[in-house]
Amino acid sequence: MRRIALTAVSAALILSSAACGSGSGSGSGKAATGGTLTLAPLVAAQPWDLADAGLGNNTQYYQPVYDSLLRLSPTAEVKPNLATKWSYDAARTVLTLTLRTGVKFTDGAAFDAAAVKANLLHTKEGSNEAAGQLKGISGVDVVDATTVAIKLSAPDPSLVPNLGNVAGMMASPQAITAGTLKTAPVGSGPYTLDKSATTAGSTYTFVRNPGYWNKAAFPFDKIVLKPLTDPTAVLNALRSGQVNGALLASAKNVAPAKSSGLNVTKYTSGDVEGVYIWDREGKIVKALGDVRVRQALNYAFDRSTIVKTAKQGLGKATTQIFNPAGSAFDSSLDSKYSYDPAKAKQLLAEAGYPNGFSVTVPDVSAVFPDQQAAMIQQLEDVGIKVKVDKIPVTQFINSLLAGKYALSYMTLASFRPWDTIQIEVAKTALWNPLHTEDAKVTELIDKARSATGAAQDALFKELNTYLVDQAWNAPWDSVESSYATTKNVTFTPQAFAVVPPIYNFKPTG
């Protein structure tokens, strides 16, 4: 079975195993001088091989061990890291990096241009999200020990910032060659995995790498990750001090967290939830191939009420799949589909479905009962009959990606416009499981790929407008995330990230 990791909170919960044991305390009493930072990711750890790496909630596992070529500031500005300089050629198909000298992996291998080449070519051959961000690489040339030239088959507007995330992380080339990364990470990052204090699936302990070149950027002496998926278990672990930070996946836990003395920080990560229409060509459900039917679905949903009730107000109603912080977003589009059941019924009748039609959706009630209830009720209010397929939650993601369902409730991440296009819109995108292709969409993607600046932003907006007009999906809201921390820890939210990176955490005091 292919391993897929999603950036969205919902998918993270669905993919993960049951809540793990509580373990021991975090030792955070020494936080003012370093101490231990204990976090509770919402997903179980994946193999350490970066070719298998996902994004979003998965990134906190990789950040202690693997350093990245570039580093993103909290506002997503690209900064030097293992690469100190970078530049494109005139055609923007060759990216040249100048590398930091004197860096070694913890197994003694040198970090140099050959190591960068080995990593990029290895990661891009994977099938997960990090690999997908490198698919445009056609080759890597070692110019000299400290200079590498990354060749692209076509311009990639997001490559540079993506090299500041998991896609740009570096593992030991010796470990890549030996094939040992699936069980043990070997990087050049600020920490190393302490196997003696690690229990797979329960507790992952990282201790300082004494040879790391930038120790000041990581004030904690130890990082501990305890994967917890049950919202109640997360809240209890925070209250007891067993963990210092965790995402509150359930909006119902925000008020109890605050009343327990925890700090709760709210931020917009860019995740978009709602009904995703996978079958835009009517291959499974013929009706969905008609744009009027897809538009009817959009008129059927009372987005504001869903946000107020199912989401406890944590979100902002939207009709767009693009991140509000990105250049593709157009606030005027959010008024495109007001809640209008009568209009929905009219469009269904015009399309030849006066009595509606039937559709089967996968069951998500075990994790998102309120969202599923809202989806079913409001679709049935306009005559669309919904059958719930009671599949195990462990089959949910693979069933969607296999193209089994015409539509479903889902939350997907939205980063920069180009990333969202490559994740959801392009014909070969992972989250275009039925491979919908539209000539206008393809034309705009091709134009945007080669454009820059204001011209590119205009094309992103044009594509966004077209997707909304064509009702490719029926989004409900741009998710507002809530991250809780204990009093002895503080952090800065990260743009385009569902959870803050470990280097954004600091001890208080």
Side-chain angles (χ1 to χ4, degrees), residues 319-320 329-337 465:
T319 64
Q320 307 169 62
F329 189 83
D330 184 345
S331 59
S332 67
L333 293 174
D334 283 340
S335 60
K336 171 73 176 180
Y337 299 108
T465 300

Side-chain angles (χ1 to χ4, degrees), residues 78-317:
V78 182
K79 302 289 186 180
N81 200 46
L82 288 177
T84 58
K85 297 178 182 178
W86 59 94
S87 63
Y88 271 113
D89 66 343
R92 296 174 58 245
T93 55
V94 178
L95 176 66
T96 300
L97 305 177
T98 300
L99 307 178
R100 188 174 300 279
T101 59
V103 175
K104 288 187 177 295
F105 295 95
T106 54
D107 62 357
F111 169 74
D112 55 16
V116 174
K117 177 178 181 178
N119 271 274
L120 294 178
L121 295 182
H122 175 72
T123 299
K124 78 179 288 286
E125 293 306 314
S127 59
N128 215 327
E129 292 168 320
Q133 293 185 332
L134 301 177
K135 291 303 183 185
I137 294 178
S138 59
V140 181
D141 290 341
V142 175
V143 179
D144 56 43
T146 61
T147 310
V148 64
I150 303 170
K151 297 186 293 185
L152 302 173
S153 55
D156 183 343
S158 290
L159 178 62
V160 169
N162 285 339
L163 294 180
N165 204 332
V166 181
M169 288 183 178
M170 298 286 107
S172 165
Q174 293 178 172
I176 291 175
T177 300
T180 59
L181 290 176
K182 291 188 182 300
T183 56
V186 183
S188 64
Y191 301 91
T192 61
L193 181 68
D194 182 353
K195 294 182 181 178
S196 66
T198 293
T199 301
S202 175
T203 303
Y204 300 84
T205 301
F206 303 87
V207 295
R208 282 196 181 277
N209 171 9
Y212 187 62
W213 62 274
N214 191 20
K215 296 177 185 177
F218 297 87
F220 295 97
D221 296 326
K222 185 184 295 184
I223 304 285
V224 178
L225 302 179
K226 293 177 175 290
L228 295 173
T229 62
D230 180 78
T232 300
V234 170
L235 181 59
N236 289 338
L238 286 161
R239 284 169 162 169
S240 66
Q242 294 176 46
V243 301
N244 303 119
L247 191 68
L248 299 177
S250 172
K252 296 177 181 178
N253 284 339
V254 173
K258 290 181 177 179
S259 66
S260 298
L262 298 167
N263 293 322
V264 177
T265 303
K266 298 179 181 180
Y267 55 92
T268 301
S269 65
D271 289 359
V272 175
E273 72 173 327
V275 171
Y276 283 79
I277 304 170
W278 315 116
D279 186 23
R280 306 174 191 102
E281 295 177 340
K283 296 176 181 177
I284 300 172
V285 176
K286 183 180 178 181
L288 294 174
D290 192 311
V291 65
R292 293 168 294 185
V293 171
R294 300 195 302 273
Q295 290 171 340
L297 265 63
N298 275 271
Y299 283 113
F301 292 118
D302 186 351
R303 293 169 171 83
S304 296
T305 298
I306 290 173
V307 170
K308 182 179 180 180
T309 56
K311 298 303 301 300
Q312 304 285 297
L314 295 179
K316 184 176 181 181

